[in-house]
Amino acid sequence: MTSGALAAGAPAVLIAAVQICATADRKHNLACVREMVRSAAQQGAEVICLPEMWPFIGRDAAKVAGAETLAGPSVSAMRELAAQLGVWIFAGSFAEQSDEPGRVYNTAPVIDASGELVAVYRKLHLFDIDMTEGPTFLESATVRPGNELVVVDSPLGPAGLTVCYDLRFPLLYELLRQAGARVFMVPAAFTAHTGRADWELLLRARAIEQQCWVVAIDQ
């Protein structure tokens, strides 16, 4: 957890990053996240942030088959927790049903301290990569890109929402900054190979370029 004032004259806010290694066991993942969110709140966190795809990481077919809605169990559980604990939850991302067969959205919800869903961002840039001596991954085969920039007023100030691979596109952060963002949220599930090489470097670059804070939450 970290504490700091994100704008001149603003009060300090204690932020918790819940970083788990999600599995294909949805019940296990939800139980782990519930426990860690409660623990963070007990330690004084006012804003709690989850990683990308925390409800499920497994085979693509199972991801698509198990896709939820914004009224589904994962978001509903986080809304209940936020209201019970009186905290904001930047609820990472989950596989959201779309109207396109075989593809879902990679969706990042934001929940306020009363349990209200106050913002929804759908990942714009999809992780399609084929490295000679590294991973091959085609997120676009099962994920549909979103089409909107999202900035939400929060206890951290205006927060620009991004997810994982978005981090590699500086223009997105420039546009979010122009739209008023003063802090960027980056829930992620970076691969070990690309994470070792690029994760911290890219986070620092986006912060320096835009002179904004970055809250990064990785699997």
Side-chain angles (χ1 to χ4, degrees), residues 7 12 14 27 32 60 90 104 106 109 125 138 146 153 188 196 200 212:
L14 190 65
K27 290 183 178 179
C32 288
D60 283 344
F90 284 81
V104 300
N106 188 337
H125 300 98
L138 194 65
D153 288 329
R196 246 189 322 270
E200 184 180 354
C212 288

Side-chain angles (χ1 to χ4, degrees), residues 16-31:
V18 170
Q19 300 181 129
I20 70 166
C21 290
T23 69
D25 186 335
R26 297 175 187 275
K27 290 183 178 179
H28 171 76
N29 297 336
L30 180 55

Side-chain angles (χ1 to χ4, degrees), residues 12-218:
V13 177
L14 190 65
I15 307 166
V18 170
Q19 300 181 129
I20 70 166
C21 290
T23 69
D25 186 335
R26 297 175 187 275
K27 290 183 178 179
H28 171 76
N29 297 336
L30 180 55
C32 288
V33 166
R34 274 190 171 127
E35 181 181 352
M36 295 176 76
V37 168
R38 289 187 182 280
S39 175
Q42 288 168 1
Q43 294 177 65
E46 302 160 75
V47 175
I48 300 174
C49 310
L50 310 182
E52 180 185 24
M53 290 293 181
W54 65 266
F56 176 87
I57 288 187
R59 294 187 178 275
D60 283 344
K63 175 183 71 180
V64 173
E68 304 178 29
T69 68
L70 288 166
S74 296
V75 176
S76 295
M78 293 305 104
R79 290 184 66 179
E80 290 171 10
L81 269 180
Q84 290 170 7
L85 302 171
V87 297
W88 277 65
I89 299 180
F90 284 81
S93 77
F94 74 103
E96 181 195 9
Q97 293 175 8
S98 80
D99 59 5
E100 182 180 347
R103 292 216 293 177
V104 300
Y105 289 114
N106 188 337
T107 298
V110 182
I111 301 159
D112 72 11
S114 67
E116 290 299 311
L117 184 64
V118 294
V120 175
Y121 167 71
R122 295 177 176 93
K123 186 178 181 181
L124 288 171
H125 300 98
L126 304 181
F127 181 54
D128 290 357
I129 186 170
D130 185 1
M131 300 179 66
T132 303
E133 296 182 0
T136 298
F137 194 82
L138 194 65
E139 188 177 22
S140 64
T142 57
V143 177
R144 182 176 180 175
N147 58 13
E148 290 184 306
L149 301 180
V150 179
V151 177
V152 59
D153 288 329
S154 77
L156 308 179
L161 306 185
T162 70
V163 174
C164 199
Y165 194 59
D166 284 333
L167 185 60
R168 294 187 180 275
F169 297 85
L171 179 59
L172 171 59
Y173 293 84
E174 171 67 23
L175 293 172
L176 288 169
R177 177 73 162 76
Q178 290 177 10
R182 295 298 177 266
V183 55
F184 302 128
M185 313 305 294
V186 191
F190 253 67
T191 67
H193 187 94
T194 57
R196 246 189 322 270
D198 300 336
W199 171 244
E200 184 180 354
L201 178 67
L202 289 168
L203 292 168
R204 294 178 69 184
R206 300 297 86 86
I208 292 166
E209 289 161 354
Q210 302 306 328
Q211 290 294 285
C212 288
W213 294 82
V214 175
V215 180
I217 319 96
D218 199 12

